[in-house]
Amino acid sequence: EPEVTQTPSHQVTQMGQEVILRCVPISNHLYFYWYRQILGQKVEFLVSFYNNEISEKSEIFDDQFSVERPDGSNFTLKIRSTKLEDSAMYFCASSAWQGIAKNIQYFGAGTRLSVL
Amino acid sequence: DAKTTQPTSMDCAEGRAANLPCNHSTISGNEYVYWYRQIHSQGPQYIIHGLKNNETNEMASLIITEDRKSSTLILPHATLRDTAVYYCIVTSYKLSFGAGTTVTVRA
Protein backbone atom coordinates (compact mmCIF):
# COMPACT_ATOMS: atom_id res chain seq x y z
CA GLU A 1 0.00 0.00 0.00
CA PRO A 2 1.43 3.42 -0.92
CA GLU A 3 2.53 5.52 2.03
CA VAL A 4 3.85 8.93 2.93
CA THR A 5 7.50 8.76 3.96
CA GLN A 6 9.15 11.27 6.29
CA THR A 7 12.81 11.73 7.09
CA PRO A 8 14.50 11.93 9.48
CA SER A 9 12.42 10.23 12.15
CA HIS A 10 14.14 12.31 14.82
CA GLN A 11 16.00 15.59 14.37
CA VAL A 12 17.92 17.27 17.15
CA THR A 13 19.06 20.84 16.62
CA GLN A 14 20.35 23.83 18.50
CA MET A 15 18.17 26.89 18.99
CA GLY A 16 18.66 29.35 16.14
CA GLN A 17 19.67 26.71 13.62
CA GLU A 18 17.83 26.01 10.39
CA VAL A 19 16.19 22.64 9.89
CA ILE A 20 14.62 21.00 6.87
CA LEU A 21 12.10 18.25 7.33
CA ARG A 22 11.54 16.04 4.33
CA CYS A 23 8.52 14.19 3.04
CA VAL A 24 7.83 11.99 0.06
CA PRO A 25 4.07 12.11 -0.57
CA ILE A 26 2.12 9.34 -2.26
CA SER A 27 3.10 9.47 -5.90
CA ASN A 28 -0.18 10.41 -7.61
CA HIS A 29 -1.27 12.88 -4.96
CA LEU A 30 -1.37 16.58 -5.74
CA TYR A 31 -2.20 18.15 -2.37
CA PHE A 32 0.31 18.28 0.43
CA TYR A 33 0.08 19.33 4.05
CA TRP A 34 2.16 19.86 7.15
CA TYR A 35 0.82 19.48 10.68
CA ARG A 36 2.54 19.59 14.02
CA GLN A 37 1.80 18.12 17.43
CA ILE A 38 3.48 19.46 20.52
CA LEU A 39 3.86 16.72 23.13
CA GLY A 40 0.55 16.09 24.87
CA GLN A 41 -1.35 18.58 22.71
CA LYS A 42 -3.60 18.50 19.65
CA VAL A 43 -2.53 17.96 16.08
CA GLU A 44 -2.37 21.45 14.53
CA PHE A 45 -2.63 22.37 10.85
CA LEU A 46 0.30 24.38 9.54
CA VAL A 47 0.01 24.67 5.78
CA SER A 48 -1.45 23.17 2.63
CA PHE A 49 0.24 23.23 -0.77
CA TYR A 50 -1.06 22.68 -4.27
CA ASN A 51 0.28 23.42 -7.72
CA ASN A 52 3.53 24.79 -6.29
CA GLU A 53 1.75 27.31 -4.13
CA ILE A 54 0.58 27.60 -0.57
CA SER A 55 -3.19 27.24 -0.65
CA GLU A 56 -3.81 27.85 3.03
CA LYS A 57 -1.74 28.46 6.14
CA SER A 58 -2.42 28.82 9.83
CA GLU A 59 -1.31 31.55 12.21
CA ILE A 60 1.45 29.24 13.38
CA PHE A 61 3.01 29.26 9.92
CA ASP A 62 4.86 32.57 10.21
CA ASP A 63 7.87 33.92 8.32
CA GLN A 64 10.15 31.41 10.03
CA PHE A 65 8.47 28.61 8.11
CA SER A 66 8.58 27.83 4.43
CA VAL A 67 7.59 24.91 2.24
CA GLU A 68 8.93 23.75 -1.07
CA ARG A 69 8.55 21.01 -3.60
CA PRO A 70 12.10 21.02 -4.92
CA ASP A 71 11.58 18.17 -7.35
CA GLY A 72 8.81 15.86 -8.48
CA SER A 73 8.80 13.74 -5.37
CA ASN A 74 9.91 15.61 -2.28
CA PHE A 75 7.98 18.10 -0.16
CA THR A 76 9.94 19.96 2.48
CA LEU A 77 9.27 22.11 5.52
CA LYS A 78 12.02 24.54 6.49
CA ILE A 79 12.26 26.32 9.81
CA ARG A 80 14.75 29.16 9.42
CA SER A 81 15.78 29.85 12.98
CA THR A 82 14.45 27.26 15.39
CA LYS A 83 13.07 28.18 18.79
CA LEU A 84 12.58 25.97 21.81
CA GLU A 85 8.81 26.06 21.24
CA ASP A 86 9.25 24.53 17.78
CA SER A 87 9.98 21.21 19.48
CA ALA A 88 7.18 18.96 18.32
CA MET A 89 6.23 16.07 16.11
CA TYR A 90 5.79 17.23 12.52
CA PHE A 91 3.50 15.26 10.24
CA CYS A 92 3.36 15.45 6.49
CA ALA A 93 0.19 14.40 4.69
CA SER A 94 -0.95 14.12 1.10
CA SER A 95 -4.26 13.68 -0.65
CA ALA A 96 -5.56 13.07 -4.14
CA TRP A 97 -8.39 15.59 -3.68
CA GLN A 98 -11.32 14.09 -5.54
CA GLY A 99 -13.55 16.94 -4.49
CA ILE A 100 -14.90 17.55 -1.03
CA ALA A 101 -16.60 14.17 -1.18
CA LYS A 102 -13.27 12.42 -0.98
CA ASN A 103 -10.40 14.42 0.47
CA ILE A 104 -8.73 11.63 2.37
CA GLN A 105 -5.41 12.74 3.78
CA TYR A 106 -2.73 10.13 4.34
CA PHE A 107 -0.17 10.89 7.01
CA GLY A 108 3.45 9.97 7.42
CA ALA A 109 4.90 8.60 10.63
CA GLY A 110 6.26 12.02 11.55
CA THR A 111 9.56 13.68 12.39
CA ARG A 112 10.22 14.40 16.02
CA LEU A 113 12.05 17.75 16.22
CA SER A 114 13.92 18.48 19.42
CA VAL A 115 15.30 22.01 19.79
CA LEU A 116 17.92 22.35 22.51
CA ASP B 1 -15.38 24.16 10.10
CA ALA B 2 -18.04 23.05 12.52
CA LYS B 3 -17.06 22.29 16.10
CA THR B 4 -17.33 18.71 17.36
CA THR B 5 -17.83 17.34 20.85
CA GLN B 6 -16.55 13.90 21.83
CA PRO B 7 -16.24 12.12 25.18
CA THR B 8 -12.76 12.40 26.63
CA SER B 9 -12.27 8.68 27.06
CA MET B 10 -13.94 5.32 26.94
CA ASP B 11 -13.09 1.71 27.63
CA CYS B 12 -14.09 -1.25 25.54
CA ALA B 13 -13.76 -4.99 25.98
CA GLU B 14 -11.78 -6.87 23.38
CA GLY B 15 -14.04 -8.57 20.86
CA ARG B 16 -17.00 -6.32 21.62
CA ALA B 17 -18.28 -3.47 19.49
CA ALA B 18 -17.04 0.01 20.35
CA ASN B 19 -19.49 2.84 19.73
CA LEU B 20 -17.89 6.28 19.64
CA PRO B 21 -20.29 9.23 19.66
CA CYS B 22 -19.69 12.67 18.21
CA ASN B 23 -21.88 15.78 18.31
CA HIS B 24 -21.63 18.34 15.53
CA SER B 25 -24.77 20.41 15.84
CA THR B 26 -23.43 23.33 13.75
CA ILE B 27 -22.52 21.22 10.72
CA SER B 28 -23.31 22.92 7.43
CA GLY B 29 -24.64 21.36 4.26
CA ASN B 30 -21.35 20.90 2.43
CA GLU B 31 -19.37 19.55 5.37
CA TYR B 32 -18.45 15.91 5.70
CA VAL B 33 -17.85 13.93 8.87
CA TYR B 34 -14.40 12.36 8.88
CA TRP B 35 -12.97 9.97 11.45
CA TYR B 36 -9.27 9.53 12.03
CA ARG B 37 -7.34 7.80 14.76
CA GLN B 38 -3.86 8.19 16.19
CA ILE B 39 -2.11 5.25 17.75
CA HIS B 40 0.48 6.31 20.29
CA SER B 41 1.85 9.45 18.59
CA GLN B 42 2.02 7.84 15.16
CA GLY B 43 0.64 9.78 12.22
CA PRO B 44 -3.16 10.06 12.16
CA GLN B 45 -4.84 7.29 10.20
CA TYR B 46 -7.98 7.73 8.13
CA ILE B 47 -10.86 5.49 9.15
CA ILE B 48 -14.04 6.51 7.35
CA HIS B 49 -16.10 9.50 6.28
CA GLY B 50 -19.64 10.36 5.21
CA LEU B 51 -22.04 13.13 4.35
CA LYS B 52 -25.49 11.94 5.35
CA ASN B 53 -25.79 8.26 4.53
CA ASN B 54 -24.43 5.53 6.75
CA GLU B 55 -21.11 4.18 5.56
CA THR B 56 -19.19 0.97 6.13
CA ASN B 57 -15.71 -0.13 5.18
CA GLU B 58 -13.28 -2.79 6.31
CA MET B 59 -12.36 -0.84 9.42
CA ALA B 60 -15.60 0.57 10.75
CA SER B 61 -19.15 1.77 10.25
CA LEU B 62 -20.35 5.35 10.44
CA ILE B 63 -23.90 6.16 11.45
CA ILE B 64 -25.02 9.75 10.85
CA THR B 65 -28.33 10.94 12.25
CA GLU B 66 -30.93 12.21 9.84
CA ASP B 67 -30.48 15.82 10.98
CA ARG B 68 -26.69 15.33 10.69
CA LYS B 69 -26.13 16.87 14.10
CA SER B 70 -24.43 13.80 15.49
CA SER B 71 -22.75 10.60 14.39
CA THR B 72 -21.40 7.36 15.81
CA LEU B 73 -18.33 5.46 14.76
CA ILE B 74 -18.67 1.73 15.29
CA LEU B 75 -15.69 -0.59 15.55
CA PRO B 76 -17.50 -3.93 15.22
CA HIS B 77 -15.01 -6.19 16.99
CA ALA B 78 -12.48 -4.16 18.92
CA THR B 79 -8.98 -5.55 19.32
CA LEU B 80 -6.12 -4.42 21.52
CA ARG B 81 -4.58 -2.77 18.46
CA ASP B 82 -7.60 -0.45 18.26
CA THR B 83 -6.43 1.34 21.39
CA ALA B 84 -5.92 4.90 20.14
CA VAL B 85 -7.20 8.46 20.17
CA TYR B 86 -10.17 8.77 17.81
CA TYR B 87 -10.93 12.09 16.17
CA CYS B 88 -14.27 13.16 14.72
CA ILE B 89 -13.70 16.03 12.27
CA VAL B 90 -16.30 17.99 10.36
CA THR B 91 -14.82 19.66 7.34
CA SER B 92 -15.08 20.66 3.72
CA TYR B 93 -11.31 20.80 3.22
CA LYS B 94 -8.91 21.32 6.10
CA LEU B 95 -8.60 18.87 8.98
CA SER B 96 -8.95 20.51 12.39
CA PHE B 97 -8.14 18.03 15.12
CA GLY B 98 -9.67 18.37 18.54
CA ALA B 99 -8.76 16.42 21.64
CA GLY B 100 -10.59 13.32 20.43
CA THR B 101 -11.70 10.29 22.44
CA THR B 102 -9.05 8.11 24.00
CA VAL B 103 -10.27 4.56 23.51
CA THR B 104 -8.70 1.81 25.57
CA VAL B 105 -9.49 -1.75 24.56
CA ARG B 106 -9.05 -4.16 27.45
CA ALA B 107 -8.49 -7.89 27.26
Side-chain angles (χ1 to χ4, degrees):
Chain A
E1 181 176 306
E3 59 180 23
V4 175
T5 305
Q6 290 187 244
T7 55
S9 56
H10 189 192
Q11 174 85 50
V12 181
T13 189
Q14 295 291 324
M15 190 169 56
Q17 295 295 305
E18 174 184 285
V19 294
I20 298 176
L21 310 182
R22 303 180 191 280
C23 170
V24 179
I26 293 173
S27 63
N28 63 340
H29 285 183
L30 299 177
Y31 291 79
F32 315 115
Y33 313 83
W34 283 101
Y35 294 80
R36 80 171 185 191
Q37 185 174 32
I38 296 170
L39 187 63
Q41 298 187 23
K42 302 174 187 178
V43 177
E44 301 173 289
F45 168 79
L46 292 178
V47 65
S48 59
F49 191 86
Y50 168 70
N51 199 27
N52 281 321
E53 288 184 345
I54 290 174
S55 47
E56 188 170 353
K57 61 182 181 179
S58 72
E59 291 178 355
I60 302 168
F61 194 89
D62 61 20
D63 292 344
Q64 290 297 312
F65 291 89
S66 62
V67 290
E68 190 179 33
R69 190 153 162 82
D71 52 43
S73 59
N74 289 286
F75 179 52
T76 62
L77 174 70
K78 182 194 292 186
I79 308 175
R80 262 181 267 286
S81 177
T82 51
K83 303 188 279 285
L84 294 176
E85 53 265 39
D86 293 326
S87 295
M89 195 74 154
Y90 287 81
F91 295 109
C92 173
S94 70
S95 70
W97 181 255
Q98 297 169 0
I100 61 172
K102 197 168 185 179
N103 182 27
I104 299 170
Q105 295 184 28
Y106 295 88
F107 285 75
T111 293
R112 180 168 299 285
L113 177 65
S114 299
V115 182
L116 305 179
Chain B
D1 294 337
K3 181 176 164 52
T4 62
T5 303
Q6 298 180 251
T8 303
S9 64
M10 62 185 297
D11 285 1
C12 175
E14 188 179 23
R16 306 296 293 268
N19 297 303
L20 283 62
C22 179
N23 286 321
H24 32 79
S25 59
T26 60
I27 191 170
S28 61
N30 67 340
E31 289 181 315
Y32 282 70
V33 180
Y34 279 77
W35 283 84
Y36 280 76
R37 71 181 183 183
Q38 187 176 26
I39 299 172
H40 195 244
S41 297
Q42 295 177 20
Q45 177 189 23
Y46 166 80
I47 301 173
I48 199 167
H49 75 288
L51 181 64
K52 54 183 179 181
N53 297 322
N54 297 339
E55 302 288 344
T56 296
N57 63 19
E58 65 278 4
M59 289 182 70
S61 295
L62 175 60
I63 309 297
I64 302 174
T65 58
E66 194 168 336
D67 63 9
R68 302 212 317 127
K69 293 184 177 182
S70 66
S71 60
T72 301
L73 178 74
I74 301 172
L75 307 177
H77 305 286
T79 70
L80 299 178
R81 287 180 296 180
D82 292 323
T83 292
V85 180
Y86 288 76
Y87 301 100
C88 169
I89 301 168
V90 171
T91 184
S92 58
Y93 171 59
K94 183 180 70 184
L95 297 179
S96 295
F97 291 84
T101 297
T102 300
V103 173
T104 304
V105 181
R106 302 193 186 279

